[in-house]
Every structure is written in C-alpha cells, then in structure tokens.
Amino acid sequence: MSATRPKWATTVLPTVLERDGTRRVHDPLVLDGPGRKLNTSGGVDLPGSGAGAVVLLLVIVAAAVLVPLLLATGVLSAVLWGAGAAAVAVVAGSLVYTSVFPDPVARYRKERGGDPFLDVGDGTDQARLCDLATAVATSSAWQQARVDPDRLLPATLWNAVKLAEHVGNQSADLARDRAAGRAEHVLAPTVDDLTAATGELARVETNLRSLGALARDLDGRAAAAERAAMTMTSAPVAELGLAAAASEAMLDHARTVHRLQ
C-alpha cells in the first residue's frame, strides 16, 4: 500500500508552493482575478467556490430525498427514484458549478497549450532564482510594498525559471548536435540564442541579489528608527527580456527609496 503524498505548502510568494524539496512556481496569470489563491492540493481557489460546493451537495441530497417522496409508490420505487434524481443532480449541478467556477489551470492549459507551473528541484539554477526571490519577498520592505510596489516579483520569477529551463534545453541540444558532428555555422543561431538567454539570466540574478540587499537594508533602517523612537518616547514595544526588465524596474525603484531614507 503506497503512502499518501504530502500536500503542498504555501510560501511567502503567492505564486510558489513547496513540498519535499520541490518548489512549484506558477505563472501569475493563473491567479489573475479577485481573491484567487493557490491551495495545498496544487490547484487554485476561487472566491465563493467553497460555498458553491456546499450548495451543490445540498442540491444533490435534496433531489435524492424529495423526488422519491413526491413520486415513489414503494420502497423499490423510492430507491430507484432517489438514485436517478441524485445522478441527474450531480451531472446538472457539476455543469452549472464548472460554468460559474471555471478551473483556471484547465483554462490556462486550453488557451496556452501548457502547464501554468514549473516544478523546481533543489540544487538547480532555477532553485537559486527561487531562493533570491524568496529573500526579497520575506523582507518587510517588499511585504509593505516599499520596494516593488507594482508587484513584479512573481512575474519576474516565473519568466526567469522558464528562461532557465530554456537555457538548459538549448545547452543539451547544442551538446548533442556537436557530439553528432554538426558544423558550427549551422549551430550559430542556437549559440547566439543561448548566449543572449544566459546573459539575461545573469542580469536577473544580479538584480535580485541587489534588490534583496536593498530590501534588507531598508528593513534594518526601519527597525533602527523604530528602536530610536521607542527609546525617545518610552513607548511599549511586517519571456526573453521580460525577467530582466521587470527585475531592473524593481531594483530602480528600490534604489530610489533607499536614497530617500
């Protein structure tokens, strides 16, 4: 008998789940809507979906109870009417439920032809990017929107891990083609693409490191100012190009805030 796999755990980043050393990074588009959030099953909760599920269950139970009371002429008839009514209620209710609360993950797959998430294992370039983004997200400066007020960090991380995946695939293809003896002039477009993508990843990593350092410094300044105030008052004691551009925008804003402190 196989052991039950543990559920996902939410993290400080709204688009990242983690479980057993694996992080699942999501495209923020799958959470694009009021009140959407990831759940521990790896899906997306929609506002009102829990209440909708309760209503659906009540409708099924009501159908299974009321229809036999109204139409049955005996015990066997009551069983048959109850089972039939419950089946119809399940089908009809499910259709209504899925139309009112469509699954964002299924819709994303249908519209974009791929998963809205990427699983990242420990010890990879993608894991390092996750660590850097998490370091920013755990700061009070980020949580209070003193840095990255436009909330570009989740999209930056998604584009960066997808770019890292692209770099890994291109590197493997290039190594295989070279081993097969393909001419370098044939491989030149792949080499150029790989060089550009690798350079962007390096920029993103550098920007995230700098952003994390600025956020931590702002946290330290805020804590120092708070301690000083408490002492004074005796008062009693929170795609190619996309990742780099977004990370640089966050970094520019953070530097501005940092200079003004």
Side-chain angles (χ1 to χ4, degrees):
M1 185 175 180
S2 60
T4 303
R5 197 168 188 183
K7 289 183 175 293
W8 292 97
T10 56
T11 69
V12 66
L13 280 164
T15 54
V16 178
L17 299 172
E18 60 183 2
R19 177 180 66 189
D20 291 340
T22 298
R23 276 171 284 196
R24 176 165 287 183
V25 182
H26 292 75
D27 186 343
L29 285 177
V30 81
L31 298 179
D32 187 18
R36 291 187 180 186
K37 60 182 180 179
L38 299 176
N39 58 43
T40 56
S41 297
V44 179
D45 285 336
L46 301 177
S49 58
V54 172
V55 171
L56 175 59
L57 178 62
L58 292 175
V59 168
I60 294 171
V61 172
V65 172
L66 295 178
V67 170
L69 289 177
L70 295 174
L71 301 177
T73 57
V75 174
L76 179 60
S77 175
V79 172
L80 294 176
W81 276 111
V88 170
V90 168
V91 173
S94 297
L95 290 174
V96 173
Y97 182 86
T98 54
S99 65
V100 176
F101 304 106
D103 181 7
V105 174
R107 183 175 180 178
Y108 185 102
R109 286 172 174 152
K110 181 179 179 180
E111 293 179 351
R112 295 177 174 266
D115 288 329
F117 57 80
L118 186 66
D119 288 345
V120 174
D122 284 340
T124 62
D125 291 341
Q126 294 157 316
R128 187 168 62 251
L129 291 164
C130 288
D131 290 339
L132 292 171
T134 299
V136 175
T138 54
S139 69
S140 297
W142 189 82
Q143 293 173 14
Q144 296 167 5
R146 297 173 66 203
V147 298
D148 186 25
D150 296 324
R151 306 286 87 176
L152 298 176
L153 185 60
T156 299
L157 178 59
W158 169 251
N159 287 312
V161 296
K162 290 294 288 183
L163 186 59
E165 179 186 46
H166 173 71
V167 166
N169 292 338
Q170 287 287 75
S171 297
D173 290 345
L174 187 61
R176 185 167 53 250
D177 288 341
R178 280 176 170 159
R182 298 193 68 184
E184 283 298 320
H185 73 274
V186 175
L187 300 177
T190 301
V191 173
D192 291 343
D193 177 68
L194 185 57
T195 300
T198 302
E200 183 180 348
L201 274 178
R203 286 166 57 200
V204 173
E205 184 168 336
T206 298
N207 290 341
L208 287 176
R209 287 185 190 281
S210 299
L211 183 62
L214 287 171
R216 288 189 294 274
D217 189 65
L218 287 169
D219 284 357
R221 294 186 184 191
E226 183 178 347
R227 286 194 299 270
M230 291 172 62
T231 301
M232 292 171 62
T233 60
S234 300
V237 175
E239 260 169 58
L240 200 62
L242 293 176
S247 64
E248 286 168 0
M250 290 188 291
L251 185 56
D252 287 343
H253 181 272
R255 283 173 174 155
T256 300
V257 173
H258 190 264
R259 284 196 300 271
L260 293 175
Q261 294 301 306

